Amino acid sequence: MSLLEINNLNVYYGVIQALHDLSFHVDKGEVVALIGANGAGKTTTLHTITGLIKSESGTINYDGKEITHVPGHKIVSMGMAHVPEGRHVFANLTVYQNLKLGAYTRNDSKEIAETIEMVYQRFPRLKERRNQFAGTLSGGEQQMLAMGRALMSHPEIILMDEPSMGLSPIFVNEIFDIIKEVHKSGTTVLLVEQNAKKALSIADRAYVLETGKIVKEGIAADLLNDEDIRKAYLGE
Ligand SMILES: Nc1ncnc2c1ncn2[C@@H]1O[C@H](COP(=O)(O)OP(=O)(O)OP(=O)(O)O)[C@@H](O)[C@H]1O
Ligand SMILES: [Mg+2]
């Protein structure tokens, strides 16, 4: 049984269909990448999984339970965390306050303090800047904060929407190294990326999304060598 299983999802914005019979799965312990161009439906897919958008038909199962109609806040307490596109940190709160908010599903203050320490260890930059307002962090630091905040809920699976967007190559490498570490420590990852090369280089498997449909799927290393993928997504 897969940890996350999406079956025949159809999603509309008004009369426009954004996802067409979308089906894919993520097994426990995997890093799965969902790659595709602008407007392919990557964010829509994540928003539908996390309950922000309603599907017209289809089912979403998580950890053996159907969550198709479960509201977003409940899904977080079931062990799924979402790092949204564009980060969405709370600009007028400090780094520390943002992290604490990520633990809103938990109420053991000692455990929360320990988790904040764990996040600081993983992101020393955030520790240095713990009293700085999040709105004054650089783009890459905000991405780290958004990831740190998601880790505060101790997720079983983390859904990341374009973590590399707008970052310099060095920061992109740093963010991907952290994703690898988060995965190594036992968290399953669903990674949405336009940076197909990077995503495929750390993923176990991947799905290629075009105009709301999965057009290709496979082992990430095989897709990296696939001629069509190389032409369309790797600029080769
Ligand atoms: N709120 C909305 N209302 C109407 N159409 C929308 C809305 N949000 C997204 N869409 C449309 O749905 C399609 C899929 O958008 P989505 O944001 O899921 O793409 P994406 O793959 O995440 O793209 P990007 O790489 O640019 O983030 C696009 O054609 C987009 O214009
Ligand atoms: Mg998007």
Side-chain angles (χ1 to χ4, degrees), residues 193-212:
E193 262 296 341
Q194 271 191 64
N195 188 335
K197 197 169 198 164
K198 269 290 183 190
L200 292 175
S201 72
I202 68 161
D204 297 303
R205 290 187 304 113
Y207 295 88
V208 182
L209 198 57
E210 270 176 25
T211 55

Side-chain angles (χ1 to χ4, degrees), residues 37-44 47 85 161-162 165 192 194:
N38 286 121
K42 305 180 299 296
T43 299
T44 302
H47 283 174
E85 188 174 16
D161 197 345
E162 310 247 16
M165 191 167 56
V192 157
Q194 271 191 64

